[in-house]
Amino acid sequence: MPSPVLSCADTGVRFLQSPFWALFKSQHGWSPLNFTVKAECNPDAFSFSCSILLRTFGKGALSFAIAYIPMVPELIEKDRESVEQLESYSCFLMDFAQALKVYLPKNILCVRYDPPLDFYTCADRDFFVDSLKMLSIAEHRKFVKTKVDIQPPDTVLLDITQDSETLLGSMRSKWRYNIHLAEKKGVAVRAYKAGDSDISKALDIFYDLYETTASRDGIAIHSKQYYADLFALSAEERKVNDAPLVTLYVASHEGDNLAAIITLFSKREAVYLYGASCNVKRNLMPAYLLQWTAIQDAKAYGSPVYDFYGMPPADDKNHPMYGLYLFKTGFGGKIVHRPGSIDVPLSVMYRPYTLAEDIRAFYHKRIKKILAGRTK
């Protein structure tokens, strides 16, 4: 049964499944639903609470909607590499989508999942996706691996339960050098937490840097109000419960703002959500000191893992974002590959929608980057 979001307290779930994130997304065009779910055939394997985000496009008779379910259900740890378990998981995704239809709008196009399946090689991840496609054909079930992923499927997870010396020792030596270089050259990092009196001014700094980054790298960004709302909600909810902590870190040097990042800390994880930098004094390595400062703060907060949240899938020098791959993997940690977004279509209008989605993605991921000089 669906239920309303009652509290934004940190319940230890992934941030994308948290009441806090559902409430935040409700301020930006999404409608959240909460469900308690049990599989009749195997309740021990699939029993969980679930946040579903609905997004409606268009108006009146021309409107349609999608249902988005990020990072659930999780697999039982001991069975994560079992082929039978993965097949059971895939069947559950289909059955769950079909069962949801009675709770969803009549104009629903699809249920879109971002499964929390962590594979440690691209080959293992691709095997699962290919198996899903084969299962779809063999069992006459409809699964579609989208060309557009809502969440980044490739990331680095750093275990920050280790002591600081161990963390430093696990980095590439150049990364330790760059951290010390930034400190030695006088780069200063300041943290602005949700609720701080000067957070508005800090967000102006961040957004100026983010616009520079977007222009340089050919990426799309939200409006400034989107990020301001994130901090405002964190500040409001932390007055009454232990909602996740959102922090903005700004690196500066002799009056110049060089780089900034936004992080989210919770009981389950610390996540590097957004990053921005200017085009000057990059030789001072401010990004390295920013990340190291955030990692130490996340460790002190009690988050067990630091998620660098998004990078190219492989060590490919020809990839336009190869530098990002090097930067995030250099801090140590485990490289993780997830399946990305997977759809269960529920309407004949699904194909026209995904065609429009693919065209839009092609523009943002290829054309804008070409215009920004990020591809060869």
Side-chain angles (χ1 to χ4, degrees):
M1 292 292 292
S3 59
V5 175
L6 299 178
S7 169
C8 286
D10 184 356
T11 57
V13 298
R14 295 174 187 262
F15 87 97
L16 290 168
Q17 276 293 315
S18 68
F20 170 81
W21 195 255
L23 184 56
F24 170 61
K25 297 303 286 186
S26 73
Q27 299 174 346
H28 293 273
W30 296 84
S31 300
L33 293 174
N34 276 356
F35 289 81
T36 299
V37 184
K38 287 188 178 182
E40 292 182 354
C41 60
N42 193 354
D44 292 333
F46 299 114
S47 178
F48 56 95
S49 294
C50 178
S51 172
I52 299 176
L53 297 172
L54 294 177
R55 186 67 181 263
T56 300
F57 304 88
K59 294 182 179 180
L62 298 178
S63 67
F64 54 91
I66 64 170
Y68 177 51
I69 310 178
M71 296 295 122
V72 290
E74 299 196 48
L75 281 173
I76 300 173
E77 190 67 28
K78 63 182 178 65
D79 292 332
R80 293 184 70 84
E81 297 183 3
S82 163
V83 173
E84 292 78 10
Q85 176 75 350
L86 291 176
E87 290 180 354
S88 176
Y89 183 92
S90 303
C91 291
F92 178 81
L93 295 183
M94 172 62 72
D95 294 341
F96 183 31
Q98 295 295 333
L100 279 173
K101 286 183 68 174
V102 297
Y103 300 103
L104 301 176
K106 292 183 179 180
N107 61 350
I108 195 75
L109 295 184
C110 66
V111 172
R112 175 165 295 179
Y113 295 97
D114 261 308
L117 303 179
D118 293 350
F119 298 98
Y120 301 119
T121 69
C122 290
D124 287 344
R125 184 260 307 279
D126 294 344
F127 175 79
F128 170 74
V129 172
D130 290 342
S131 297
L132 196 66
K133 294 175 182 177
M134 293 177 63
L135 179 68
S136 178
I137 297 172
E139 300 294 332
H140 303 289
R141 297 172 179 265
K142 294 182 179 179
F143 288 108
V144 176
K145 174 64 193 81
T146 66
K147 295 180 181 178
V148 179
D149 293 313
I150 295 183
Q151 304 303 323
D154 306 284
T155 187
V156 175
L157 302 179
L158 179 64
D159 176 6
I160 56 175
T161 61
Q162 308 169 85
D163 61 69
S164 295
E165 289 302 315
T166 301
L167 289 171
L168 283 168
S170 299
M171 296 179 190
R172 293 176 186 158
S173 59
K174 184 66 173 178
W175 271 236
R176 291 192 299 275
Y177 175 84
N178 287 343
I179 291 169
H180 296 317
L181 174 67
E183 293 173 327
K184 181 179 178 181
K185 294 295 184 179
V187 174
V189 174
R190 182 171 179 184
Y192 300 86
K193 295 180 172 55
D196 286 355
S197 59
D198 48 1
I199 188 62
S200 179
K201 180 180 178 181
L203 279 167
D204 287 341
I205 294 171
F206 166 78
Y207 204 74
D208 285 345
L209 291 169
Y210 213 12
E211 287 182 317
T212 298
T213 303
S215 176
R216 183 181 66 232
D217 294 347
I219 61 174
I221 61 176
H222 295 286
S223 70
K224 186 188 298 185
Q225 191 60 48
Y226 182 88
Y227 307 100
D229 289 347
L230 178 62
F231 278 86
L233 181 62
S234 178
E236 178 183 346
E237 291 299 325
R238 286 182 63 80
K239 292 177 182 177
V240 295
N241 57 51
D242 60 345
L245 174 64
V246 180
T247 307
L248 167 59
Y249 295 88
V250 177
S252 60
H253 179 263
E254 296 179 350
D256 295 320
N257 297 308
L258 306 183
I261 62 174
I262 293 177
T263 62
L264 181 149
F265 299 164
S266 71
K267 293 177 182 177
R268 172 67 181 263
E269 59 194 341
V271 185
Y272 163 35
L273 290 176
Y274 311 106
S277 63
C278 70
N279 296 324
V280 301
K281 296 185 178 180
R282 304 184 78 174
N283 60 306
L284 299 183
M285 306 300 171
Y288 295 84
L289 186 57
L290 275 174
Q291 291 295 339
W292 178 236
T293 303
I295 288 168
Q296 290 179 299
D297 286 355
K299 179 177 172 60
Y301 183 88
S303 301
V305 63
Y306 189 89
D307 188 344
F308 283 90
Y309 207 56
M311 65 178 191
D315 187 359
D316 179 6
K317 294 181 179 179
N318 294 318
H319 195 285
M321 301 300 285
Y322 177 62
L324 186 66
Y325 178 92
L326 289 179
F327 177 71
K328 293 188 175 184
T329 57
F331 286 92
K334 184 175 291 184
I335 298 174
V336 167
H337 307 281
R338 295 179 180 133
S341 298
I342 295 172
D343 286 354
V344 177
L346 299 175
S347 167
V348 294
M349 295 304 296
Y350 170 78
R351 285 297 183 187
Y353 167 73
T354 54
L355 177 60
E357 192 176 53
D358 293 345
I359 293 172
R360 180 178 182 274
F362 179 78
Y363 170 75
H364 283 287
K365 292 186 177 182
R366 297 292 297 174
I367 303 301
K368 284 191 72 174
K369 291 186 185 298
I370 290 173
L371 294 175
R374 296 294 299 178
T375 59
K376 295 180 181 181

